[in-house]
Amino acid sequence: MAAVAAATHVGKGKRQFLSLWAKAFSIPCRHRQKKNWATTRPRLSATRLALQNFDMNYSVQFGSLWPSIRISLLSEQKYGALFNNFSDIQQISQELECLNAVDFIWESQKVVQDLNSTAGQEASESAVSTRAVPPESQPQPLPCLSTLISSNIKCYTFPKGDISLFPPARPDALGILGYYLLDAASVLPVLALNVQPGDLVLDLCAAPGGKTLALLQTGCCRELAANDVSVSRTGRLNRVLSSYIPKNLCEIVRITSWDGRKWGDLEANTYDRVLVDVPCTTDRHSLMEEDNNIFQNMRKGERQMLPMLQLELLVAGILAAKPGGEVVYSTCSLSQLQNEYVAERAVELLNIQYNIDVRVEDLNIFRRLFQDTFSFFPSCRLGELVLPHLTSNFGPLYFCKLRRLG
Ligand SMILES: C[S@@+](CC[C@H](N)C(=O)[O-])C[C@H]1O[C@@H](n2cnc3c(N)ncnc32)[C@H](O)[C@@H]1O
């Protein structure tokens, strides 16, 4: 009995010692499990991964501008109200003006007048001056606004620094909504397309339809082909159009759900104007929303293939344009790889593979016209880029205009 008791005592002592040792030096069980988690590293959320990716790339691309762009991207964005010319115009303009919002496109007319009167003054001063100024270095007057940008589009915004919000639009007596809320910068590619009366227009990636709606506001499209590969998104496009456009006008719109990359084979040399508003990393969305975020782990392949898809869509859009036709390429990303590089590669590829010359048009005038509303990146090699800024938190929005020559 004594031997058994002693053995039990030793066993108890050993157990106590082991337990003390474990407490002092070993990792408690619950932490040991954590070590196991650590071997399968917790996954970063898509928004976090997007921020890491942008910090790495955009701090190099934008240098000292990046902190300001970054904080703006992470702050609440500003909206514009695209005015619907097919609704009760008087009631809607009164409503928007009561809010102290202004039509930024109308305001740019004043910029043209100011620039022209300065140019006129400088020209007359140089005429009386004893020093002769060669005509090419004299400031040239700007042509009328309607020859530079698509006409009849109105978009209301609050002034710089004003972060008021627009109330949701209400239907008029005929059930048509008075304005469409969107990032005001996304009207710029449509303005740059400079649609002329009677034009045949293609909107290659059209859903959910903000830019299609802006194209229709011009009243210039003889026919508008609005396409988007996604059937569910063309459903949304249909709903947007039926809320804003009277039935008889919907007849000029042809909605399809084809792969835009095939357009060069389907309808080559056909359109006067083509808008190629491609899928991209949608930088603002990617930082704010987990849902449908292209930085989700399972969408890595899709993300890496974006510049290739964008290039194929732009090439197809240019092939669909008539010789002499104009094409605007746009994204809502800051990425040079998705912006300038795609435009450059498309020009090269069309020349080498199709023997088609394409000219990149100068859009510098946009910076002068709309600098009171947007903050533009000053050093874009091709096209223009609207940078998010706390005082005018629109964008990012890149747009580049290409003219098919042959
Ligand atoms: C940036 S969104 C277009 C936004 C639209 N332009 C607007 O203003 O409301 C890009 C669109 O491209 C579409 N898309 C993606 N791949 C496509 C393809 N191969 N052909 C046509 N559309 C495509 C997507 O479904 C998405 O709706």
Side-chain angles (χ1 to χ4, degrees):
M1 274 301 275
V4 173
T8 317
H9 182 73
V10 169
K12 200 175 162 195
K14 194 175 174 190
R15 272 203 307 280
Q16 271 173 349
F17 169 76
L18 284 175
S19 139
L20 280 174
W21 182 87
K23 268 191 197 151
F25 302 105
S26 75
I27 301 148
C29 277
R30 58 180 195 282
H31 291 184
R32 252 184 264 140
Q33 272 172 6
K34 268 201 180 163
K35 195 182 170 195
N36 287 342
W37 298 343
T39 55
T40 53
R41 275 225 216 123
R43 282 203 176 146
L44 281 181
S45 65
T47 46
R48 191 84 208 147
L49 191 63
L51 187 59
Q52 271 192 1
N53 181 297
F54 295 166
D55 276 337
M56 207 165 65
N57 294 309
Y58 295 157
S59 57
V60 176
Q61 193 179 321
F62 295 103
S64 60
L65 286 179
W66 174 235
S68 147
I69 303 171
R70 184 185 200 268
I71 188 87
S72 312
L73 278 173
L74 292 167
S75 309
E76 189 160 355
Q77 83 175 109
K78 248 179 125 164
Y79 282 90
L82 174 68
F83 190 92
N84 187 9
N85 293 327
F86 308 106
S87 67
D88 185 338
I89 315 180
Q90 258 178 348
Q91 188 201 313
I92 305 300
S93 354
Q94 265 177 12
E95 228 175 82
L96 291 169
E97 276 153 28
C98 276
L99 293 170
N100 277 337
V102 290
D103 172 10
F104 81 83
I105 303 163
W106 175 258
E107 291 294 302
S108 67
Q109 304 223 5
K110 288 187 204 153
V111 179
V112 175
Q113 281 161 10
D114 288 352
L115 287 170
N116 281 347
S117 72
T118 316
Q121 232 172 351
E122 284 178 20
S124 59
E125 275 166 18
S126 79
V128 291
S129 151
T130 46
R131 244 185 324 137
V133 180
E136 65 277 9
S137 44
Q138 284 178 15
Q140 297 302 309
L142 286 175
C144 164
L145 205 57
S146 63
T147 62
L148 298 170
I149 61 174
S150 302
S151 42
N152 298 327
I153 301 177
K154 300 189 194 77
C155 185
Y156 282 76
T157 53
F158 292 106
K160 265 192 179 170
D162 182 339
I163 53 164
S164 310
L165 297 172
F166 290 99
R170 284 176 292 128
D172 65 10
L174 298 173
I176 300 280
L177 294 172
Y179 53 84
Y180 180 88
L181 295 181
L182 78 184
D183 183 328
S186 60
V187 174
L188 297 176
V190 181
L191 292 176
L193 200 56
N194 193 11
V195 183
Q196 296 299 308
D199 274 352
L200 217 58
V201 182
L202 168 64
D203 187 354
L204 196 61
C205 307
K211 296 185 189 69
T212 316
L213 207 54
L215 284 166
L216 287 168
Q217 299 305 316
T218 62
C220 287
C221 308
R222 176 157 47 103
E223 244 179 72
L224 172 59
N227 175 71
D228 198 287
V229 76
S230 156
V231 175
S232 63
R233 285 172 70 91
T234 42
R236 263 178 81 189
L237 171 66
N238 249 314
R239 287 194 292 281
V240 167
L241 294 188
S242 57
S243 309
Y244 286 87
I245 306 293
K247 268 208 175 73
N248 60 337
L249 199 89
C250 284
E251 282 164 17
I252 66 160
V253 187
R254 175 171 55 115
I255 298 181
T256 50
S257 294
W258 299 336
D259 184 339
R261 290 175 288 186
K262 308 240 163 77
W263 223 277
D265 305 324
L266 295 170
E267 285 184 319
N269 315 322
T270 306
Y271 292 92
D272 301 291
R273 299 287 186 268
V274 182
L275 180 63
V276 187
D277 185 36
V278 291
C280 64
T281 41
T282 49
D283 294 358
R284 202 182 270 279
H285 174 89
S286 294
L287 287 179
M288 301 308 251
E289 302 276 339
E290 282 299 314
D291 268 2
N292 194 25
N293 190 320
I294 192 136
F295 283 87
Q296 282 165 358
N297 237 12
M298 61 185 178
R299 296 183 69 184
K300 191 173 174 191
E302 186 189 341
R303 196 170 72 238
Q304 285 169 340
M305 290 308 288
L306 267 179
M308 182 54 80
L309 172 61
Q310 292 161 339
L311 176 64
E312 288 178 282
L313 285 165
L314 179 54
V315 167
I318 297 172
L319 290 174
K322 286 175 182 166
E326 295 176 18
V327 178
V328 170
Y329 172 76
S330 57
T331 76
C332 50
S333 167
L334 293 162
S335 156
Q336 248 174 348
L337 260 184
Q338 298 174 59
N339 296 341
E340 287 107 309
Y341 288 164
V342 170
E344 275 171 341
R345 292 291 87 76
V347 173
E348 264 176 27
L349 202 144
L350 280 152
N351 182 272
I352 294 168
Q353 243 178 24
Y354 297 89
N355 205 17
I356 291 176
D357 283 332
V358 175
R359 186 175 70 212
V360 179
E361 300 281 336
D362 184 6
L363 292 177
N364 197 288
I365 184 71
F366 274 70
R367 241 188 280 168
R368 287 154 78 191
L369 289 177
F370 302 118
Q371 64 188 0
D372 289 343
T373 307
F374 302 105
S375 166
F376 285 93
F377 182 46
S379 331
C380 245
R381 274 184 303 117
L382 303 177
E384 292 294 335
L385 175 65
V386 172
L387 295 178
H389 190 276
L390 282 181
T391 60
S392 59
N393 207 353
F394 300 110
L397 193 288
Y398 173 77
F399 59 115
C400 178
K401 182 163 170 173
L402 305 138
R403 185 185 296 274
R404 177 174 168 174
L405 298 177

